[in-house]
Amino acid sequence: MNKNVALSLVMTLGVGLLAGCGSSNGNDSNTNAANAPSADAGNAGTNANGANAGGEADSSALKGTITWATHRTELVDTDLKKYVDAFEAKYPGTEVKIEGLKDYEQTIRVRMAANELPDVLSLVETTKADLPKFYEPLDDLGLDDNIYFKDYNSYDGKLYGITQQVAINGLLYNKKAFEKAGITAPPKTLDELYADADKLKTAGIVPMATAFKDGWTLQYWTDPAEFIYGSTKLRNDKINSDTPFTVDGPYGQGLGILKKLFDSGDLEKDVYSATWDQTQKDLASGKTGMMYIGNWAISNLLSNGLALEDIGFAPMPYDNSGTVKGMMRNDWAYAVSSTSKNKPLAKAFIKFMIEESGDYKDHMIISPLKDQQATLTPITDFMAFKPEMLEAQAVSEDVTAIENKMQFDPFKFIQEVTVNKMQEVFDGYNKKWQAAKAAVGK
Amino acid sequence: MVNGMSYALQKRILIILFLLVPIALLAVFALYPALYLVYLSFMSWDGYSPDKTWAGIGNYKEVFANKEIWGAFLHNLVYLGWGLLQNALGLFFAIMLNSKVKGRNAYRVLLFMPYIMNGVAVAYMFNYVFNSEYGSFNTLLHGIGLDSLAISWFGSPKAVNHVLGFITLWKFMGLNMVIYLAALQSVPSEIIEAARMDGASRLQTTLRVVLPNITKVIELNLFLTIIGTLEIFDLPFILTGGGPLGASDTFLTKTIDTAFKFNNFGMASAMSVTLITAVIVVLGLQRLATRRWSD
């Protein structure tokens, strides 16, 4: 008899959760209402009502336990634990369980399908229309006007994810290696870049690292194409063309820079075995001169033994005009699950992580808050070039659909362009693009 | 209560009760996922959203129309070539170690050892061996003056599949050898002795007497090898990630990319079903061929 009661309870709970999932498409108040019956499992019901769900809510209302899933597994037992301890000390009676996931994206996707997302997590991208299904709006944190990449994870005017850091891409170089090759200042024009590469090569230093084999490190090389195009809409604007990849267009010119470096032997000796693990060491030791990558890599060089004053960071020239641009990219975004049973606490935790944790200073990365100026020397050096800063954009739904249909792998695309004949590679991709575009019906 | 039942009924109830758990486990963890895979192969699904839409045989059409996917099958063929060599070597070593060689147990252990090693560990080990700049193999080649042979093993589109095929040979030859060895020891010593007395040479005994007696086991080993080569996945996935430029993609790495990189679970399921079908077809052909041969 008892078992039957328990069973039916489980069933109703399950149904309640399902109902919550189904109705969460529209407005979030429905979600809370649907979840309220199932919240009796432990959390105070008052918390589940999202009326005062701000980070600035009365701290006495913040009680209970949340789970925080993060991709930063290497920091779970050290720095992240420290931030959680500080948070729990600030709001007594709360508990944040950290869950470091090694294969983060896959694990979360499985949980997404099972409707079992943790309370606080790094947002895994879905189509924009699906954002409200899985995530809770974060507009009531009051950060909307003060963060970079607000539009990246927004849908229908609501904000669903806040980037955990801002990354600036630039030429990261070893000042000692540049000195050894007789280079006094980072290149400001494309010609200077090629000339510097020659000087480095003569000095026995690999001029430009790519970590070619790993692929992902190459993704930043489309930045020059977007600088030339003048906007970060380049990838999305493909939708207007049946032949988006042309040798004399932005893609051809932008990727042409990497290709030219490859053709003149300025990349690693054997690009196919060049990995990021080895590249960090080589950059730090001065075996390699420079690399085009995000500012977050500065801490990698430091941990590989290069002193901060020997790390240079400068915008990447994309033509010979002498004006430079810089690309800002977002990172994983903090998000709250739409099925979380303790949303106020989850939101307060995100706000704490962004505003008070000290994460940004500790790891020498750039805060997503616009009013927090970066003070790290390499970044202020970068800014001294007065680059025009561009904000990367989310790939639009239609373009994603077509790219998935044609099985477009941007890393492989850049690899192929670099080592093969550009025209042939572009022809192949244009053909696939056209076919997939027709198949998807856009 | 039990007393009222006939013995046969009790027995039946007992059998059903005992079978219930394993069959339920089988149904939940093997049958249901397999059927669900077939179901998914007819759907269009991105892997996480709640909506799946009916795609009919569209996924299958796409699999068969996609040249890159079938190109990946050609890479599997390279592994098959190395797999056949692996069987030949396994048989060779088994015959060698079946005779009274000094220290044969030590040799057996040495040759079988790679199979016990974890696949990922093997991958990392060979990553160091074949690294083009720091690898031990190229260092050796440079050391003996064969600089022109010291190429980028994982970087050359032509060499990469052969290098990976060689690693699978190294890892799985021991298994083949042990199975052959067991088969060889089950060949009755009387008939071998009889052949010897009739004046057959050692080679003749092996070819005419021993081998015909172990065709079933050769068939089994080929079966294992063919399945292994069609489903090869861990080495290219870890060592090359399908690179350089897709030259070492196999059917399975393509399937995984389709599902997890391009969020096309429907088509990935269709690819898996296609692979299963391909395995069945190839094995059917193999059975047909070996049956004719052994008759």
Side-chain angles (χ1 to χ4, degrees):
Chain A
M1 192 58 205
N2 271 338
K3 271 184 191 164
N4 283 340
V5 173
L7 192 70
S8 56
L9 262 176
V10 170
M11 296 276 279
T12 28
L13 277 179
V15 171
L17 281 173
L18 284 176
C21 164
S23 64
S24 60
N25 299 344
N27 50 19
D28 50 317
S29 60
N30 266 350
T31 319
N32 285 334
N35 273 342
S38 58
D40 62 359
N43 299 314
T46 47
N47 277 351
N49 295 325
N52 64 342
E56 295 301 324
D58 181 9
S59 71
S60 64
L62 294 170
K63 286 273 182 299
T65 307
I66 52 169
T67 311
W68 171 31
T70 176
H71 61 281
R72 299 164 80 183
T73 45
E74 73 281 7
L75 297 176
V76 163
D77 296 324
T78 52
D79 288 4
L80 299 189
K81 182 89 188 57
K82 191 174 85 187
Y83 305 144
V84 163
D85 288 345
F87 178 78
E88 288 171 357
K90 187 176 175 192
Y91 302 103
T94 61
E95 193 192 351
V96 180
K97 288 185 189 150
I98 316 178
E99 196 181 3
L101 300 175
K102 272 238 152 56
D103 192 5
Y104 182 83
E105 182 158 354
Q106 286 321 320
T107 314
I108 290 296
R109 281 208 191 282
V110 170
R111 291 197 196 173
M112 250 173 158
N115 205 22
E116 284 173 0
L117 286 182
D119 302 277
V120 177
L121 70 159
S122 307
L123 184 140
V124 169
E125 282 181 28
T126 62
T127 57
K128 286 221 164 186
D130 274 346
L131 283 172
K133 270 187 216 170
F134 298 108
Y135 305 110
E136 176 73 9
L138 300 173
D139 300 281
D140 49 7
L141 285 185
L143 297 174
D144 283 18
D145 300 327
N146 192 23
I147 53 168
Y148 291 109
F149 294 102
K150 180 190 176 311
D151 297 330
Y152 204 95
N153 290 308
S154 288
Y155 177 70
D156 223 4
K158 282 187 181 143
L159 174 73
Y160 292 94
I162 300 174
T163 183
Q164 298 181 6
Q165 63 162 310
V166 172
I168 295 176
N169 291 340
L171 275 180
L172 186 65
Y173 63 96
N174 183 327
K175 284 187 183 168
K176 280 192 291 191
F178 270 39
E179 247 166 61
K180 197 178 151 205
I183 305 165
T184 46
K188 281 191 207 63
T189 65
L190 213 44
D191 286 344
E192 278 179 42
L193 177 74
Y194 297 135
D196 287 349
D198 280 345
K199 283 184 199 161
L200 285 163
K201 209 162 40 176
T202 320
I205 297 164
V206 175
M208 180 73 77
T210 55
F212 193 88
K213 184 190 176 190
D214 287 350
W216 61 267
T217 46
L218 291 168
Q219 61 184 307
Y220 313 113
W221 283 93
T222 49
D223 291 357
E226 296 188 319
F227 295 156
I228 292 164
Y229 189 63
S231 145
T232 50
K233 275 196 298 202
L234 179 60
R235 192 164 172 184
N236 287 337
D237 283 351
K238 287 211 303 277
I239 197 85
N240 303 320
S241 166
D242 278 345
T243 52
F245 306 109
T246 49
V247 172
D248 50 5
Y251 274 109
Q253 287 178 28
L255 292 174
I257 298 174
L258 178 64
K259 185 163 179 56
K260 181 159 183 198
L261 288 168
F262 174 78
D263 289 341
S264 27
D266 291 337
L267 306 186
E268 292 98 334
K269 205 169 132 223
D270 174 22
V271 287
Y272 293 116
S273 57
T275 60
W276 170 235
D277 283 347
Q278 190 60 40
T279 299
Q280 308 173 32
K281 291 177 194 141
D282 289 350
L283 268 174
S285 70
K287 233 179 121 183
T288 305
M290 56 184 153
M291 181 172 197
Y292 184 62
I293 200 151
N295 64 285
W296 48 266
I298 292 171
S299 63
N300 294 56
L301 293 194
L302 286 171
S303 61
N304 274 293
L306 190 61
L308 188 63
E309 65 265 23
D310 289 330
I311 300 175
F313 197 52
M316 164 96 158
Y318 61 96
D319 60 13
N320 285 323
S321 67
T323 56
V324 282
K325 293 179 184 173
M327 180 67 75
M328 293 201 294
R329 285 185 186 258
N330 58 327
D331 192 29
W332 292 91
Y334 284 117
V336 172
S337 156
S338 63
T339 54
S340 164
K341 292 187 188 126
N342 203 339
K343 287 171 188 162
L345 184 60
K347 287 181 181 176
F349 181 68
I350 291 180
K351 202 170 162 77
F352 175 85
M353 277 306 292
I354 294 174
E355 288 185 336
E356 299 170 47
S357 66
D359 188 8
Y360 300 98
K361 203 162 177 295
D362 289 353
H363 301 110
M364 289 180 270
I365 51 180
I366 304 171
S367 162
L369 298 175
K370 284 181 181 166
D371 58 4
Q372 293 210 350
Q373 285 291 321
T375 51
L376 198 66
T377 330
I379 295 169
T380 48
D381 283 355
F382 181 95
M383 288 304 175
F385 287 92
K386 304 249 178 297
E388 179 195 336
M389 296 305 286
L390 303 180
E391 236 180 72
Q393 296 191 19
V395 186
S396 75
E397 248 172 83
D398 290 347
V399 170
T400 307
I402 300 173
E403 286 184 350
N404 280 342
K405 186 81 184 165
M406 71 186 271
Q407 305 215 328
F408 178 73
D409 177 344
F411 309 162
K412 203 171 137 195
F413 169 66
I414 299 173
Q415 285 178 329
E416 285 181 27
V417 171
T418 308
V419 299
N420 293 338
K421 288 212 176 71
M422 190 184 264
Q423 184 68 54
E424 282 169 26
V425 177
F426 280 177
D427 286 348
Y429 275 91
N430 281 333
K431 217 170 117 190
K432 278 200 244 172
W433 168 264
Q434 210 174 335
K437 195 172 163 221
V440 174
K442 300 290 174 192
Chain B
M1 193 169 92
V2 176
N3 295 337
M5 292 181 198
S6 72
Y7 177 68
L9 187 64
Q10 282 183 29
K11 197 170 134 188
R12 182 163 299 170
I13 289 176
L14 214 59
I15 289 172
I16 291 174
L17 280 178
F18 276 135
L19 279 179
L20 212 58
V21 173
I23 287 182
L25 287 175
L26 188 74
V28 171
F29 294 109
L31 294 179
Y32 170 70
L35 291 176
Y36 199 68
L37 181 79
V38 176
Y39 162 75
L40 277 184
S41 73
F42 293 106
M43 306 302 265
S44 179
W45 186 43
D46 58 10
Y48 51 86
S49 87
D51 336 301
K52 308 181 184 76
T53 49
W54 179 253
I57 58 163
N59 287 327
Y60 287 94
K61 268 192 192 153
E62 227 177 304
V63 171
F64 283 94
N66 192 326
K67 273 186 228 136
E68 280 181 26
I69 293 174
W70 292 100
F73 251 135
L74 291 180
H75 303 153
N76 286 67
L77 278 183
V78 176
Y79 291 90
L80 186 62
W82 283 93
L84 294 177
L85 183 63
Q86 162 195 327
N87 267 279
L89 275 178
L91 189 56
F92 173 73
F93 280 115
I95 292 170
M96 295 285 283
L97 294 177
N98 198 32
S99 56
K100 292 193 177 62
V101 186
K102 234 186 197 166
R104 61 177 183 179
N105 280 338
Y107 282 120
R108 285 177 189 173
V109 169
L110 276 180
L111 287 172
F112 187 64
M113 203 70 101
Y115 179 71
I116 307 172
M117 283 173 70
N118 176 315
V120 180
V122 169
Y124 273 100
M125 196 175 85
F126 276 99
N127 197 14
Y128 292 118
V129 173
F130 286 113
N131 185 296
S132 64
E133 281 177 58
Y134 313 95
S136 54
F137 189 59
N138 277 359
T139 312
L140 176 79
L141 288 176
H142 286 303
I144 54 175
L146 293 170
D147 293 88
S148 62
L149 281 182
I151 58 166
S152 160
W153 296 102
F154 292 127
S156 149
K158 284 201 186 88
V160 65
N161 284 314
H162 290 282
V163 173
L164 294 171
F166 168 77
I167 301 173
T168 48
L169 177 141
W170 181 85
K171 180 160 160 51
F172 290 101
M173 195 204 65
L175 176 71
N176 286 150
M177 185 197 72
V178 164
I179 298 174
Y180 283 130
L181 206 53
L184 287 176
Q185 286 175 352
S186 71
V187 176
S189 55
E190 292 86 2
I191 55 171
I192 297 174
E193 217 166 289
R196 284 266 164 80
M197 292 180 93
D198 287 344
S201 72
R202 209 183 143 142
L203 184 69
Q204 279 174 322
T205 324
T206 308
L207 287 178
R208 300 285 168 86
V209 179
V210 177
L211 285 189
N213 268 293
I214 59 166
T215 47
K216 277 271 171 294
V217 175
I218 295 178
E219 200 182 318
L220 169 79
N221 262 330
L222 286 178
F223 171 89
L224 292 175
T225 307
I226 289 174
I227 294 187
T229 53
L230 282 176
E231 298 182 346
I232 186 83
F233 152 72
D234 51 349
L235 284 176
F237 187 76
I238 297 165
L239 280 173
T240 64
L245 312 179
S248 65
D249 264 327
T250 65
F251 197 79
L252 259 189
T253 60
K254 277 263 174 214
T255 309
I256 287 171
D257 278 353
T258 305
F260 298 106
K261 203 188 267 173
F262 305 115
N263 291 336
N264 195 342
F265 276 65
M267 186 164 148
S269 305
M271 287 170 79
S272 306
V273 175
T274 310
L275 181 63
I276 296 169
T277 320
V279 168
I280 293 173
V281 168
V282 171
L283 291 181
L285 288 175
Q286 187 214 333
R287 272 200 74 86
L288 221 66
T290 48
R291 193 170 296 166
R292 194 160 293 169
W293 174 49
S294 58
D295 279 349

